[in-house]
Amino acid sequence: MPKLLLDRAKTLEPRNPNKSTGLFGGESSGILNWNDIAYPHWYKMYKRLVGNYWQADEVNMSSDVKQFSALSAEERDAYLKIIGLLSTLDAPQTRTALLLSLYATDPSVQSIMAVIAQQEAVHNESYSYVLSSVVSLDEQNESFQLGRKDPVLLKRNEHLMAQYNAFVEEPSLENILKTLVYTALLEGMFFYSGFAFFYNLARNNKMVGTSTMISYINRDELEHGRFIAELFRATLAEHPDHNTPEFVNWVYDHFQQSVELEIEWSSYVLADVDGIDLDEMAGYIKYRANKMLRIMGLDEVYSEHVDNPMKWIRAYVDNFDGTKTDFFEQKSRQYTKTSDLNGFDDL
Ligand code: ZN
Ligand code: ZN
C-alpha cells in the first residue's frame, strides 16, 4: 500500500464546515462547537479529563522524605529505576499528543489532545518533584539518565520509540494508526508494573505521598487510554481500507511483543522487592493488554488472564468515584467534581 502522507490540519479554514468530515485527512473549519461534533459523546471524555485537574506540589511529601532512607536498598533502587522508566513514557507522550493533534482534522480531538498533553506535562513535573524531595540532585539526574543508558529499559522502549519517531518522519494514516496502537499500550499497559510497585509500598505504609501522586497519574492514564482506544476504533472505522487482516495481525504481534518486553522489564526491576509476586505481575500485565485490546474493538489474546490477578491494586484507584474518601487522605480533592460523568474504569 503506498504511504500517502497527510497534510497538517489547517488552523482556520472558513470554507470548511465546523463539524469535521473526518478525524484525519478530513475537513473542518477549525471552529469548535462542542454541541456540534462528529462524535458527540467525546464531550463527556473531555469533561472527565478536565475534571481530573491536579498539580504535583499539592501532594504532601513530608512523610516520604523521612521514610526514603528507611527503605531497603532494593526498594530504593527500584524506586529510582521506576521513576526513570515513567519519565521515559510521559515525556514522549506529551509530544505525541501534540503531534496527533497537528494531523487531526477534528477540532474536538485537538482540544482533547491539548488536555492530555497538559496532563502528561504535569506527570513529567511530578517525577522531578518527588525525586527532589527524597534524593540529592546527583541521584535525581542518575534516575533520569536511565532512559538513555539502562539496557533493559532501552530494549523495552525500543519499539515504542521506533514507532513514535516513524510517525514524525512519515505522517501517514498507517503510521497514525500504529502510533495510536503504541499510545494505547503506553497509556493502558506500559505504566502499570511501575504503578504496582508504588501501590505495594503504600499497602505497607511506605512512601504514601509518592503513591498518592502515582494514583493521580494512574487515573489520568486510564482516561487517556480510554480515549485513545476510541480514537483508534473511530479512525479505523472511517478508513476500512486500513482494516486488513495484515494490519490486525500487526496489532496482535506488537501487543504480544510488548507484553513480553514488559514482563522482562518488571522481572528485572522488581526481582528483589518484597510483596510482589512476579508471576502475578506477569498475569496483571496480560490482563491489562487484554483490557486494552477489548476496548480497541479487538479480541483478547490471553484467555487465562481476563480477570485481574492482583485484586489488591483496585483499592488504590477505585476510590476516585468522588463519593468515597480518598484512600490516601493526603489532601482534599477540591478539583474533582462529583458528577455522573466521573465514572471510573477498573484496573
Ligand atoms: Zn502520563
Ligand atoms: Zn497519558
Side-chain angles (χ1 to χ4, degrees):
M1 191 184 300
K3 286 187 178 162
L4 297 173
L5 297 192
L6 293 171
D7 290 328
R8 275 189 267 187
K10 296 274 190 294
T11 301
L12 266 185
E13 181 46 87
R15 282 172 295 192
N16 289 345
N18 288 352
K19 184 174 176 172
S20 158
T21 63
L23 293 166
F24 296 96
E27 289 185 340
S28 70
S29 68
I31 297 165
L32 172 57
N33 173 8
W34 280 109
N35 297 314
D36 183 30
I37 57 177
Y39 297 86
H41 66 290
W42 288 0
Y43 181 57
K44 289 188 179 181
M45 296 200 143
Y46 166 80
K47 291 300 284 177
R48 275 204 301 266
L49 284 164
V50 171
N52 285 348
Y53 180 83
W54 62 280
Q55 288 197 63
D57 54 10
E58 291 166 359
V59 177
N60 183 348
M61 290 291 292
S62 56
S63 62
D64 293 41
V65 173
K66 293 182 206 126
Q67 279 183 334
F68 189 76
S69 58
L71 297 180
S72 70
E74 291 78 14
E75 285 169 337
R76 283 201 302 272
D77 183 59
Y79 185 106
L80 295 174
K81 277 203 172 86
I82 290 169
I83 294 286
L85 151 78
L86 297 176
S87 73
T88 69
L89 301 177
D90 276 301
Q93 207 50 37
T94 310
R95 186 159 193 271
T96 297
L98 167 73
L99 287 168
L100 287 166
S101 163
L102 288 177
Y103 292 94
T105 45
D106 185 311
S108 71
V109 175
Q110 295 165 10
S111 278
I112 289 171
M113 285 301 179
V115 179
I116 291 178
Q118 177 268 324
Q119 293 180 332
E120 307 298 14
V122 170
H123 301 171
N124 275 294
E125 180 205 356
S126 69
Y127 304 134
S128 302
Y129 173 71
V130 293
L131 283 193
S132 67
S133 306
V134 299
V135 293
S136 68
L137 180 60
D138 281 350
E139 287 170 291
Q140 293 166 42
N141 282 335
E142 203 179 314
S143 177
F144 284 107
Q145 293 292 343
L146 287 171
R148 302 177 56 234
K149 293 181 176 167
D150 185 290
V152 183
L153 185 50
L154 279 167
K155 184 182 169 196
R156 176 192 185 284
N157 285 347
E158 192 183 335
H159 299 281
L160 170 80
M161 188 175 70
Q163 182 53 51
Y164 275 18
N165 287 336
F167 170 43
V168 175
E169 298 290 327
E170 198 178 75
S172 60
L173 191 70
E174 183 183 332
N175 271 332
I176 284 180
L177 284 165
K178 289 180 173 177
T179 296
L180 289 173
V181 170
Y182 266 98
T183 300
L185 277 163
L186 185 150
E187 305 279 12
M189 197 271 275
F190 287 147
F191 278 109
Y192 292 73
S193 67
F195 291 163
F197 166 74
F198 292 106
Y199 297 150
N200 180 58
L201 288 180
R203 70 172 169 157
N204 292 296
N205 294 313
K206 295 175 184 170
M207 308 302 283
V208 172
T210 308
S211 299
T212 301
M213 197 197 70
I214 290 293
S215 71
Y216 297 161
I217 294 172
N218 193 161
R219 182 183 54 176
D220 291 346
E221 305 307 4
L222 286 169
E223 289 295 346
H224 299 175
R226 190 188 289 183
F227 177 69
I228 294 299
E230 288 249 350
L231 184 60
F232 171 82
R233 283 173 85 150
T235 304
L236 203 55
E238 286 185 5
H239 298 274
D241 51 318
H242 285 261
N243 195 355
T244 60
E246 188 194 357
F247 176 67
V248 174
N249 283 333
W250 183 94
V251 178
Y252 289 129
D253 285 350
H254 284 254
F255 257 76
Q256 284 173 293
Q257 182 185 62
S258 299
V259 162
E260 282 158 30
L261 287 166
E262 183 65 25
I263 291 172
E264 186 180 329
W265 157 261
S266 66
S267 307
Y268 158 72
V269 77
L270 301 172
D272 301 314
V273 174
D274 278 348
I276 291 188
D277 178 314
L278 292 177
D279 288 335
E280 230 175 57
M281 179 56 75
Y284 183 60
I285 289 164
K286 290 175 180 171
Y287 160 76
R288 285 299 320 167
N290 275 341
K291 186 142 185 121
M292 292 314 294
L293 284 168
R294 202 162 57 232
I295 63 173
M296 290 165 79
L298 298 166
D299 295 326
E300 293 161 339
V301 288
Y302 302 103
S303 54
E304 288 170 13
H305 297 90
V306 290
D307 293 316
N308 180 357
M310 290 173 74
K311 294 252 186 287
W312 61 268
I313 274 190
R314 300 186 62 168
Y316 296 84
V317 179
D318 275 0
N319 289 302
F320 283 128
D321 65 5
T323 59
K324 298 177 215 162
T325 315
D326 185 342
F327 177 84
F328 297 105
E329 294 179 346
Q330 283 278 296
K331 68 185 260 292
S332 60
R333 300 198 44 73
Q334 68 267 33
Y335 293 114
T336 305
K337 305 285 184 296
T338 306
S339 80
D340 55 350
L341 303 180
N342 203 14
F344 205 75
D345 198 5
D346 59 350
L347 275 168

